[in-house]
Amino acid sequence: MKVLFIGGTGIISSACSELAISRGIDLYHLNRGKTSKIRHIEGVKTIISDIRNIEETKKAIENHHFDAVVDWIAFEPEHIKNNIKLFSGKTNQFVFISSASIYQTPPKKLPITEETILDNPFWDYSINKIACENVLRKAYQENGFPYTIVRPSHTYDKTLIPFLGDYTTLHRMKKGLPVIVHGDGTSIWTLTHHKDFAVGLVGLLGNPNAINEAYHITNDEWLSWNHIYNLFAKELGVEPHLVHVPSKIIATFSKDIGDGLLGDKEHSMIFDNTKIRSIVPDFNPKITFSEGVKEIVAWYADESHQKYNKDTNDLIESILQDYNWL
């Protein structure tokens, strides 16, 4: 099977690339060739092109036909429209990486299934992903464009710290300084290791039964945000000083952070993975987040990976001081 990944070197796509190659898939990456050193993957064939340049990409793929194409970096309807122009007649399956953040927010019912209403008015990122999905559905109805939609939730590897402030917050935790947890820390969250996600994604490739269908691929482990922070503290061997701040207050200090909280992390999100298991029976997440935390902490023990951000630290201090939570 011949497969093209548009992108391919990110947190999720790198694990999918490694698994695809291990299963004998003839895998190509289409990218600008500038990030391959970050997560180098043996066995990938690279097509150098900027996907946003339609004419350049059309020429780069003119002698190729793919059993499946996966776009990891489409975020706006125009990106999808361009993909349809580029890959109509060039692939048997186009896989769009959408987002589980597009589901009804806040949810009226849990767990989330693929039939849950798509409605997140709080985050432009999610609104655009919904619009992308609508473009694909219309293309299928009008021209039979063979799409599959995949919706990851919070997927991580050893380099991704899942809470507000990234490494700066981990640094504060190690120093015994207060760290911010949004809300009261009791909302439930789902974190999926990228290697577990890869089993679901790769299992969909080349499957004709996945055409005109959408699947979320997530872990079955449910964790409160308080527990997530405490897992890191335990692995670091420190006593955490957690300060709970309402998401709406955090949003007044940073729109970027606020959009992600109000449009996603503020609300409990758990998922029913029955649909992905029905078509990919070997999808069975095995990596608990406590194991993932060990990987993350070990990665950041290397000083070259520690990127302390003074602006982020100043933001945390401002929130704490202005509301007298120190």
Side-chain angles (χ1 to χ4, degrees):
M1 182 163 52
K2 183 177 177 181
V3 174
L4 176 69
F5 282 4
I6 301 169
T9 59
I11 287 174
I12 310 179
S13 58
S14 59
C16 294
S17 295
E18 290 174 354
L19 182 61
I21 290 169
S22 74
R23 293 187 175 182
I25 290 174
D26 184 17
L27 183 64
Y28 289 73
H29 282 178
L30 188 149
N31 54 45
R32 294 174 298 170
K34 296 182 178 181
T35 58
S36 60
K37 292 181 180 179
I38 297 174
R39 294 180 178 88
H40 179 69
I41 299 155
E42 292 291 338
V44 172
K45 300 170 184 175
T46 302
I47 298 172
I48 302 295
S49 183
D50 181 351
I51 190 63
R52 307 294 177 234
N53 186 325
I54 296 179
E55 292 305 315
E56 178 185 81
T57 303
K58 188 182 294 184
K59 185 175 181 180
I61 64 172
E62 63 182 349
N63 296 321
H64 293 278
H65 184 280
F66 301 97
D67 296 292
V69 173
V70 183
D71 193 338
W72 299 94
I73 55 173
F75 303 103
E76 301 172 6
E78 200 63 34
H79 297 163
I80 296 298
K81 291 175 183 177
N82 289 340
N83 280 329
I84 292 169
K85 293 175 185 176
L86 284 167
F87 294 105
S88 290
K90 302 286 287 183
T91 186
N92 301 330
Q93 180 189 32
F94 178 84
V95 181
F96 167 53
I97 304 300
S98 184
S99 169
S101 69
I102 69 174
Y103 290 118
Q104 186 180 51
T105 304
K108 290 183 179 179
K109 181 181 178 182
L110 294 173
I112 298 294
T113 74
E114 283 81 358
E115 301 306 312
T116 298
I117 294 170
L118 307 183
D119 180 26
N120 184 342
F122 303 100
W123 197 8
D124 287 345
Y125 171 82
S126 306
I127 292 169
N128 282 326
K129 287 287 190 178
I130 292 172
C132 288
E133 291 195 11
N134 289 336
V135 171
L136 285 170
R137 291 189 189 91
K138 183 178 180 181
Y140 178 80
Q141 291 167 359
E142 294 180 351
N143 306 306
F145 187 71
Y147 77 87
T148 300
I149 291 168
V150 172
R151 299 168 182 154
S153 185
H154 200 153
T155 308
Y156 70 96
D157 72 348
K158 62 186 178 183
T159 71
L160 192 146
I161 298 168
F163 40 65
L164 182 150
D166 301 320
Y167 176 73
T168 303
T169 292
L170 200 67
H171 175 82
R172 291 179 63 88
M173 192 178 285
K174 289 193 291 185
K175 296 294 185 182
L177 297 171
V179 299
I180 293 173
V181 182
H182 63 275
D184 63 4
T186 61
S187 60
I188 302 299
W189 199 240
T190 303
L191 291 145
T192 307
H193 196 281
H194 68 160
K195 290 183 178 179
D196 283 332
F197 176 92
V199 176
L201 185 283
V202 174
L204 289 172
L205 300 180
N207 191 328
N209 294 321
I211 302 302
N212 192 29
E213 296 288 348
Y215 305 86
H216 50 242
I217 303 175
T218 74
N219 206 331
D220 299 312
E221 182 183 39
W222 306 336
L223 305 166
S224 73
W225 281 102
N226 283 335
H227 188 50
I228 290 167
Y229 278 77
N230 278 301
L231 283 172
F232 276 94
K234 181 180 178 181
E235 187 61 27
L236 291 168
V238 300
E239 188 67 31
H241 183 180
L242 307 183
V243 178
H244 298 94
V245 181
S247 297
K248 289 179 180 176
I249 289 176
I250 296 171
T252 65
F253 285 83
S254 170
K255 184 180 186 304
D256 288 342
I257 294 173
D259 285 354
L261 290 178
L262 300 178
D264 200 18
K265 297 180 181 68
E266 179 183 26
H267 310 284
S268 291
M269 279 290 178
I270 59 178
F271 301 89
D272 180 340
N273 286 297
T274 299
K275 187 174 182 181
I276 185 64
R277 283 195 172 92
S278 71
I279 196 168
V280 185
D282 61 340
F283 175 69
N284 181 30
K286 298 177 180 178
I287 302 171
T288 65
F289 191 62
S290 61
E291 295 174 81
V293 168
K294 292 180 186 299
E295 290 184 10
I296 294 168
V297 170
W299 169 261
Y300 283 98
D302 184 332
E303 290 186 4
S304 67
H305 300 152
Q306 298 173 4
K307 296 182 180 179
Y308 173 83
N309 187 307
K310 184 179 182 300
D311 289 341
T312 299
N313 191 69
D314 289 347
L315 174 65
I316 293 170
E317 288 290 330
S318 294
I319 295 171
L320 294 172
Q321 289 175 7
D322 282 12
Y323 286 86
N324 298 315
W325 275 313
L326 271 176

